[in-house]
Amino acid sequence: MKQGTGKTALVTGAGSGIGQELAKLFAQDGFNLVLVDHNEEPLHRLAEVFESNYGTETVTVINKDLAREDVAIELYEEVKAKGITVNILVNNAGISTYGKFATETNWEREKEVVHLNVLTTTLLTKLFLNDMVARNEGRILQLASMVSITPFPLMAVYAATKAYVWSLTQSLRNELKDTNVTVTALMPNATATNFFREADAPKLNVEGMLDDPAMVARDGYKALMKGEAKVVPGGLANKAQEVMAYLSPQEALAGMMRWLLTPKHESDRSDDKTPNWAIGLGVVAAAVAGYALVSAYNNLGPVDKMRYRYKAKSLGNSANNALSSVADSVLGAYHNGKAKVEEALA
Protein backbone atom coordinates (compact mmCIF):
# COMPACT_ATOMS: atom_id res chain seq x y z
CA MET A 1 0.00 0.00 0.00
CA LYS A 2 1.29 3.44 -0.90
CA GLN A 3 2.11 5.86 1.90
CA GLY A 4 -0.61 8.34 1.00
CA THR A 5 -3.49 5.93 0.43
CA GLY A 6 -6.67 7.38 1.89
CA LYS A 7 -5.02 10.70 2.71
CA THR A 8 -5.28 14.11 1.02
CA ALA A 9 -2.66 16.73 0.24
CA LEU A 10 -3.64 20.32 -0.59
CA VAL A 11 -1.11 22.16 -2.76
CA THR A 12 -1.38 25.87 -3.53
CA GLY A 13 0.24 27.21 -6.68
CA ALA A 14 -0.06 23.71 -8.14
CA GLY A 15 -0.42 24.79 -11.76
CA SER A 16 3.29 25.11 -12.51
CA GLY A 17 6.84 25.01 -11.18
CA ILE A 18 7.66 23.57 -7.76
CA GLY A 19 3.98 23.21 -6.85
CA GLN A 20 3.26 21.08 -9.90
CA GLU A 21 6.28 18.87 -9.19
CA LEU A 22 5.21 18.43 -5.57
CA ALA A 23 1.68 17.53 -6.64
CA LYS A 24 3.14 14.85 -8.94
CA LEU A 25 5.08 13.31 -6.04
CA PHE A 26 1.97 13.19 -3.86
CA ALA A 27 0.04 11.55 -6.69
CA GLN A 28 2.77 8.94 -7.18
CA ASP A 29 2.64 8.18 -3.47
CA GLY A 30 -1.10 7.49 -3.52
CA PHE A 31 -2.45 10.73 -2.05
CA ASN A 32 -5.73 12.27 -3.10
CA LEU A 33 -5.19 15.89 -4.08
CA VAL A 34 -6.68 19.34 -3.76
CA LEU A 35 -4.99 21.48 -6.40
CA VAL A 36 -5.30 25.25 -6.01
CA ASP A 37 -4.16 27.90 -8.48
CA HIS A 38 -5.33 31.17 -10.04
CA ASN A 39 -5.08 29.46 -13.43
CA GLU A 40 -7.56 26.60 -13.63
CA GLU A 41 -6.68 25.06 -17.02
CA PRO A 42 -3.37 23.37 -16.06
CA LEU A 43 -4.99 21.93 -12.94
CA HIS A 44 -7.51 19.97 -15.01
CA ARG A 45 -4.71 18.66 -17.23
CA LEU A 46 -2.79 17.55 -14.14
CA ALA A 47 -5.89 15.84 -12.76
CA GLU A 48 -6.23 13.79 -15.97
CA VAL A 49 -2.56 12.83 -15.91
CA PHE A 50 -2.62 11.81 -12.25
CA GLU A 51 -5.78 9.76 -12.62
CA SER A 52 -4.54 7.93 -15.72
CA ASN A 53 -0.86 7.51 -14.80
CA TYR A 54 -0.99 7.00 -11.04
CA GLY A 55 -4.55 5.88 -10.41
CA THR A 56 -5.27 8.87 -8.17
CA GLU A 57 -8.74 8.35 -6.75
CA THR A 58 -9.76 11.98 -6.21
CA VAL A 59 -8.34 15.21 -7.59
CA THR A 60 -10.25 18.33 -6.55
CA VAL A 61 -9.51 21.43 -8.62
CA ILE A 62 -10.09 24.83 -7.01
CA ASN A 63 -9.57 28.06 -8.91
CA LYS A 64 -8.59 30.83 -6.46
CA ASP A 65 -6.55 34.01 -6.62
CA LEU A 66 -4.86 33.71 -3.24
CA ALA A 67 -3.75 37.34 -3.28
CA ARG A 68 -7.35 38.47 -2.71
CA GLU A 69 -8.86 39.60 0.59
CA ASP A 70 -10.39 36.82 2.72
CA VAL A 71 -9.61 34.16 0.10
CA ALA A 72 -8.01 31.86 2.69
CA ILE A 73 -11.32 31.57 4.53
CA GLU A 74 -13.12 30.94 1.22
CA LEU A 75 -10.72 28.13 0.35
CA TYR A 76 -10.91 26.54 3.78
CA GLU A 77 -14.71 26.62 3.86
CA GLU A 78 -14.95 25.21 0.34
CA VAL A 79 -12.69 22.30 1.26
CA LYS A 80 -14.67 21.63 4.46
CA ALA A 81 -17.96 21.81 2.55
CA LYS A 82 -16.71 19.06 0.23
CA GLY A 83 -16.06 16.86 3.27
CA ILE A 84 -12.29 16.74 2.63
CA THR A 85 -9.84 16.16 5.46
CA VAL A 86 -6.50 17.75 4.59
CA ASN A 87 -3.65 15.64 5.98
CA ILE A 88 -0.90 17.63 4.31
CA LEU A 89 -0.93 21.35 3.49
CA VAL A 90 1.63 22.76 1.06
CA ASN A 91 1.77 26.56 1.09
CA ASN A 92 3.66 26.82 -2.17
CA ALA A 93 1.97 29.78 -3.88
CA GLY A 94 3.97 32.99 -3.81
CA ILE A 95 4.58 36.09 -5.94
CA SER A 96 7.03 38.96 -6.15
CA THR A 97 7.57 42.29 -7.85
CA TYR A 98 10.82 43.65 -9.26
CA GLY A 99 12.53 47.02 -8.95
CA LYS A 100 13.74 49.63 -6.48
CA PHE A 101 11.30 49.89 -3.59
CA ALA A 102 11.41 53.70 -3.28
CA THR A 103 10.98 54.68 -6.91
CA GLU A 104 10.13 51.79 -9.23
CA THR A 105 7.74 49.29 -7.69
CA ASN A 106 3.97 49.57 -7.51
CA TRP A 107 2.32 49.59 -4.09
CA GLU A 108 -0.82 47.79 -5.23
CA ARG A 109 1.31 44.93 -6.51
CA GLU A 110 3.41 44.89 -3.34
CA LYS A 111 0.23 44.75 -1.29
CA GLU A 112 -0.72 41.61 -3.22
CA VAL A 113 2.73 40.15 -2.51
CA VAL A 114 2.28 40.71 1.22
CA HIS A 115 -1.29 39.47 1.15
CA LEU A 116 -0.46 36.19 -0.58
CA ASN A 117 2.95 35.44 0.89
CA VAL A 118 2.09 36.49 4.45
CA LEU A 119 -1.63 36.89 5.19
CA THR A 120 -3.03 34.05 3.08
CA THR A 121 -0.19 31.71 4.00
CA THR A 122 -0.61 32.49 7.70
CA LEU A 123 -4.38 32.09 7.76
CA LEU A 124 -4.35 28.85 5.74
CA THR A 125 -1.74 27.54 8.15
CA LYS A 126 -3.82 28.55 11.18
CA LEU A 127 -7.09 27.09 9.88
CA PHE A 128 -5.75 23.73 8.74
CA LEU A 129 -3.26 23.47 11.60
CA ASN A 130 -6.07 23.80 14.11
CA ASP A 131 -7.75 20.76 12.55
CA MET A 132 -4.48 18.83 12.47
CA VAL A 133 -3.77 19.47 16.15
CA ALA A 134 -7.31 18.37 17.02
CA ARG A 135 -6.63 15.06 15.19
CA ASN A 136 -3.01 14.99 16.44
CA GLU A 137 -1.93 14.23 12.87
CA GLY A 138 -0.75 16.25 9.89
CA ARG A 139 2.13 17.90 8.04
CA ILE A 140 2.68 21.35 6.56
CA LEU A 141 5.30 22.40 4.02
CA GLN A 142 6.05 26.13 3.82
CA LEU A 143 7.92 27.73 0.89
CA ALA A 144 10.44 29.90 2.72
CA SER A 145 13.21 30.32 0.08
CA MET A 146 16.94 30.81 0.52
CA VAL A 147 16.32 34.57 0.53
CA SER A 148 14.46 34.20 3.83
CA ILE A 149 17.92 34.47 5.45
CA THR A 150 19.56 37.02 3.12
CA PRO A 151 18.91 40.56 1.87
CA PHE A 152 17.43 40.65 -1.63
CA PRO A 153 17.74 44.13 -3.21
CA LEU A 154 15.30 44.75 -6.09
CA MET A 155 12.93 42.17 -4.56
CA ALA A 156 13.03 43.57 -1.05
CA VAL A 157 9.38 43.01 -0.13
CA TYR A 158 9.45 39.42 -1.39
CA ALA A 159 12.51 38.61 0.74
CA ALA A 160 10.88 40.22 3.78
CA THR A 161 7.77 38.05 3.36
CA LYS A 162 9.89 34.92 3.11
CA ALA A 163 11.81 35.87 6.25
CA TYR A 164 8.42 36.03 7.95
CA VAL A 165 7.49 32.54 6.68
CA TRP A 166 10.82 31.15 7.90
CA SER A 167 10.40 32.65 11.37
CA LEU A 168 6.76 31.55 11.65
CA THR A 169 7.66 27.99 10.67
CA GLN A 170 10.42 27.61 13.25
CA SER A 171 8.25 29.10 16.00
CA LEU A 172 5.39 26.74 15.18
CA ARG A 173 7.73 23.76 15.30
CA ASN A 174 8.47 24.57 18.93
CA GLU A 175 4.79 24.96 19.76
CA LEU A 176 4.03 21.61 18.10
CA LYS A 177 6.90 19.60 19.58
CA ASP A 178 4.60 17.53 21.82
CA THR A 179 2.22 16.64 18.98
CA ASN A 180 2.30 14.43 15.89
CA VAL A 181 2.01 17.49 13.64
CA THR A 182 5.07 18.84 11.85
CA VAL A 183 5.90 22.00 9.92
CA THR A 184 8.82 22.07 7.46
CA ALA A 185 10.46 25.03 5.74
CA LEU A 186 11.55 24.49 2.14
CA MET A 187 14.42 26.87 1.28
CA PRO A 188 15.19 26.57 -2.44
CA ASN A 189 17.71 28.63 -4.33
CA ALA A 190 16.58 30.38 -7.52
CA THR A 191 14.64 27.79 -9.51
CA ALA A 192 13.75 27.38 -13.18
CA THR A 193 10.12 28.48 -13.01
CA ASN A 194 8.23 31.47 -14.41
CA PHE A 195 8.78 33.37 -11.14
CA PHE A 196 10.93 36.20 -12.53
CA ARG A 197 8.73 36.83 -15.58
CA GLU A 198 5.63 36.98 -13.40
CA ALA A 199 7.45 39.57 -11.29
CA ASP A 200 7.93 41.65 -14.48
CA ALA A 201 11.70 41.33 -14.22
CA PRO A 202 13.99 41.49 -17.28
CA LYS A 203 16.48 38.70 -17.95
CA LEU A 204 18.65 38.59 -14.82
CA ASN A 205 22.13 37.33 -13.97
CA VAL A 206 20.68 34.77 -11.57
CA GLU A 207 18.86 33.05 -14.41
CA GLY A 208 22.14 31.54 -15.57
CA MET A 209 22.26 29.34 -12.46
CA LEU A 210 18.75 28.07 -11.80
CA ASP A 211 17.96 24.81 -10.00
CA ASP A 212 15.61 22.16 -11.38
CA PRO A 213 12.11 22.42 -9.86
CA ALA A 214 11.78 18.62 -9.90
CA MET A 215 14.91 18.33 -7.75
CA VAL A 216 13.65 21.03 -5.37
CA ALA A 217 10.32 19.24 -5.04
CA ARG A 218 11.96 15.85 -4.38
CA ASP A 219 14.15 17.21 -1.60
CA GLY A 220 11.25 19.16 -0.11
CA TYR A 221 8.98 16.12 -0.23
CA LYS A 222 11.52 13.90 1.53
CA ALA A 223 12.07 16.46 4.29
CA LEU A 224 8.32 16.96 4.72
CA MET A 225 7.65 13.24 5.08
CA LYS A 226 10.47 12.93 7.62
CA GLY A 227 9.11 15.87 9.59
CA GLU A 228 12.33 17.85 9.32
CA ALA A 229 12.58 21.48 10.41
CA LYS A 230 13.98 22.72 7.09
CA VAL A 231 15.60 21.64 3.89
CA VAL A 232 17.95 23.41 1.48
CA PRO A 233 17.49 21.48 -1.79
CA GLY A 234 20.44 20.51 -3.95
CA GLY A 235 24.03 19.55 -3.29
CA LEU A 236 26.91 20.87 -1.28
CA ALA A 237 27.10 24.23 -3.03
CA ASN A 238 23.58 25.18 -1.91
CA LYS A 239 24.28 23.99 1.63
CA ALA A 240 27.47 26.08 1.64
CA GLN A 241 25.50 29.11 0.51
CA GLU A 242 23.18 28.71 3.49
CA VAL A 243 26.12 28.64 5.90
CA MET A 244 27.68 31.56 4.05
CA ALA A 245 24.47 33.53 4.63
CA TYR A 246 24.87 33.08 8.38
CA LEU A 247 28.60 33.88 8.42
CA SER A 248 29.00 36.72 5.93
CA PRO A 249 28.46 40.45 6.60
CA GLN A 250 25.00 41.59 5.52
CA GLU A 251 26.52 44.31 3.33
CA ALA A 252 28.50 41.73 1.37
CA LEU A 253 25.45 39.48 1.03
CA ALA A 254 23.36 42.40 -0.19
CA GLY A 255 26.00 43.15 -2.82
CA MET A 256 26.00 39.58 -4.05
CA MET A 257 22.22 39.36 -4.19
CA ARG A 258 21.99 42.74 -5.92
CA TRP A 259 24.35 41.47 -8.62
CA LEU A 260 22.26 38.34 -9.06
CA LEU A 261 19.15 40.46 -9.64
CA THR A 262 20.89 42.89 -11.97
CA PRO A 263 19.62 42.74 -15.57
CA LYS A 264 22.02 40.70 -17.66
CA HIS A 265 22.34 43.37 -20.33
CA GLU A 266 23.57 45.86 -17.71
CA SER A 267 26.21 43.43 -16.45
CA ASP A 268 27.37 42.74 -19.99
CA ARG A 269 28.14 46.47 -20.37
CA SER A 270 29.95 46.76 -17.04
CA ASP A 271 33.73 47.06 -16.92
CA ASP A 272 33.82 45.97 -13.26
CA LYS A 273 34.68 42.30 -13.48
CA THR A 274 36.02 41.86 -9.93
CA PRO A 275 33.59 43.31 -7.37
CA ASN A 276 34.80 43.22 -3.78
CA TRP A 277 31.85 41.15 -2.60
CA ALA A 278 32.78 38.40 -5.07
CA ILE A 279 36.27 38.10 -3.63
CA GLY A 280 35.05 38.05 -0.04
CA LEU A 281 32.22 35.62 -0.60
CA GLY A 282 34.42 33.45 -2.78
CA VAL A 283 36.82 33.00 0.13
CA VAL A 284 33.99 32.27 2.57
CA ALA A 285 32.40 29.79 0.18
CA ALA A 286 35.72 28.03 -0.33
CA ALA A 287 36.23 27.75 3.43
CA VAL A 288 32.74 26.39 4.02
CA ALA A 289 33.01 23.92 1.16
CA GLY A 290 36.45 22.82 2.40
CA TYR A 291 35.11 22.15 5.88
CA ALA A 292 32.20 20.16 4.46
CA LEU A 293 34.53 18.12 2.27
CA VAL A 294 36.81 17.27 5.19
CA SER A 295 33.82 16.20 7.29
CA ALA A 296 32.49 14.04 4.47
CA TYR A 297 35.92 12.51 3.87
CA ASN A 298 36.32 11.55 7.53
CA ASN A 299 33.07 9.57 7.36
CA LEU A 300 34.16 7.51 4.34
CA GLY A 301 35.39 3.93 4.53
CA PRO A 302 38.96 2.94 3.47
CA VAL A 303 38.01 1.97 -0.10
CA ASP A 304 35.90 5.08 -0.61
CA LYS A 305 38.73 7.23 0.75
CA MET A 306 41.07 5.81 -1.92
CA ARG A 307 38.52 6.57 -4.63
CA TYR A 308 38.02 10.06 -3.20
CA ARG A 309 41.76 10.82 -3.11
CA TYR A 310 42.09 9.86 -6.76
CA LYS A 311 39.16 12.05 -7.79
CA ALA A 312 40.20 14.86 -5.48
CA LYS A 313 43.59 15.02 -7.20
CA SER A 314 41.91 15.89 -10.50
CA LEU A 315 39.56 18.26 -8.72
CA GLY A 316 42.50 19.95 -7.05
CA ASN A 317 44.22 20.62 -10.37
CA SER A 318 41.10 22.34 -11.60
CA ALA A 319 40.80 24.29 -8.36
CA ASN A 320 44.36 25.60 -8.62
CA ASN A 321 43.61 27.02 -12.04
CA ALA A 322 40.34 28.49 -10.83
CA LEU A 323 41.92 30.26 -7.87
CA SER A 324 44.00 32.45 -10.16
CA SER A 325 40.82 34.12 -11.39
CA VAL A 326 38.32 33.49 -8.58
CA ALA A 327 36.94 37.02 -8.59
CA ASP A 328 36.13 36.78 -12.29
CA SER A 329 34.45 33.41 -12.03
CA VAL A 330 32.77 33.03 -8.64
CA LEU A 331 29.34 32.63 -10.15
CA GLY A 332 30.43 30.26 -12.90
CA ALA A 333 32.47 28.24 -10.44
CA TYR A 334 29.35 27.78 -8.35
CA HIS A 335 27.93 25.28 -10.85
CA ASN A 336 31.24 23.80 -11.93
CA GLY A 337 32.33 23.26 -8.36
CA LYS A 338 28.95 21.86 -7.42
CA ALA A 339 29.15 19.24 -10.15
CA LYS A 340 32.77 18.32 -9.38
CA VAL A 341 32.28 18.06 -5.63
CA GLU A 342 29.22 15.86 -6.02
CA GLU A 343 31.17 13.69 -8.48
CA ALA A 344 34.08 13.42 -6.05
CA LEU A 345 31.79 12.31 -3.26
CA ALA A 346 29.89 9.82 -5.47
Side-chain angles (χ1 to χ4, degrees), residues 156-310:
V157 173
Y158 174 78
T161 65
K162 291 303 178 179
Y164 170 88
V165 172
W166 161 254
S167 179
L168 175 68
T169 301
Q170 300 314 309
S171 296
L172 293 181
R173 283 192 63 83
N174 179 269
E175 294 180 11
L176 296 167
K177 65 182 180 180
D178 296 323
T179 74
N180 291 321
V181 181
T182 62
V183 186
T184 301
L186 175 55
M187 301 171 66
N189 226 318
T191 306
T193 67
N194 202 38
F195 173 78
F196 294 108
R197 299 294 80 77
E198 290 181 350
D200 295 325
K203 190 73 172 178
L204 306 172
N205 287 327
V206 70
E207 293 179 76
M209 54 185 71
L210 300 177
D211 282 337
D212 177 16
M215 177 277 292
V216 171
R218 283 194 303 271
D219 285 4
Y221 186 83
K222 290 176 184 176
L224 169 72
M225 302 312 286
K226 290 179 181 178
E228 295 177 354
K230 66 178 178 65
V231 57
V232 176
L236 179 62
N238 284 352
K239 308 298 190 295
Q241 186 173 335
E242 180 196 8
V243 176
M244 186 169 63
Y246 296 129
L247 297 179
S248 302
Q250 290 295 296
E251 294 83 354
L253 283 172
M256 180 186 76
M257 304 307 279
R258 174 65 180 269
W259 192 92
L260 290 174
L261 287 187
T262 297
K264 194 172 185 311
H265 68 271
E266 291 184 15
S267 298
D268 291 342
R269 293 198 306 264
S270 175
D271 293 331
D272 181 9
K273 300 296 184 181
T274 57
N276 291 333
W277 63 261
I279 299 172
L281 291 184
V283 172
V284 173
V288 171
Y291 174 81
L293 283 171
V294 170
S295 299
Y297 178 82
N298 288 336
N299 291 325
L300 295 175
V303 175
D304 288 330
K305 283 184 178 180
M306 290 180 63
R307 291 175 56 234
Y308 177 83
R309 283 196 294 269
Y310 173 79

Side-chain angles (χ1 to χ4, degrees), residues 32-36 43 47 51 58-62 78 82 84:
N32 293 320
L33 288 160
V34 179
L35 304 179
V36 184
L43 299 184
E51 289 165 357
T58 306
V59 180
T60 303
V61 169
I62 298 180
E78 185 169 339
K82 294 177 183 294
I84 299 172

Side-chain angles (χ1 to χ4, degrees), residues 38 65 67 92-101 104-118 144-145 147 152-162 193-202 204 206 261:
H38 68 283
D65 178 2
N92 165 77
I95 56 175
S96 183
T97 186
Y98 177 84
K100 294 178 181 178
F101 177 78
E104 295 177 352
T105 54
N106 177 275
W107 168 242
E108 291 304 317
R109 176 62 173 174
E110 282 169 334
K111 191 161 62 173
E112 291 179 349
V113 172
V114 174
H115 201 105
L116 171 52
N117 297 4
V118 174
S145 173
V147 302
F152 209 38
L154 302 180
M155 285 191 172
V157 173
Y158 174 78
T161 65
K162 291 303 178 179
T193 67
N194 202 38
F195 173 78
F196 294 108
R197 299 294 80 77
E198 290 181 350
D200 295 325
L204 306 172
V206 70
L261 287 187

Side-chain angles (χ1 to χ4, degrees), residues 54-106:
Y54 311 127
T56 307
E57 290 186 9
T58 306
V59 180
T60 303
V61 169
I62 298 180
N63 177 219
K64 293 283 184 188
D65 178 2
L66 296 179
R68 289 193 298 105
E69 188 93 20
D70 297 328
V71 71
I73 295 176
E74 287 180 19
L75 175 57
Y76 176 78
E77 291 180 347
E78 185 169 339
V79 170
K80 297 291 283 186
K82 294 177 183 294
I84 299 172
T85 297
V86 173
N87 306 98
I88 295 181
L89 170 66
V90 179
N91 279 316
N92 165 77
I95 56 175
S96 183
T97 186
Y98 177 84
K100 294 178 181 178
F101 177 78
T103 58
E104 295 177 352
T105 54
N106 177 275

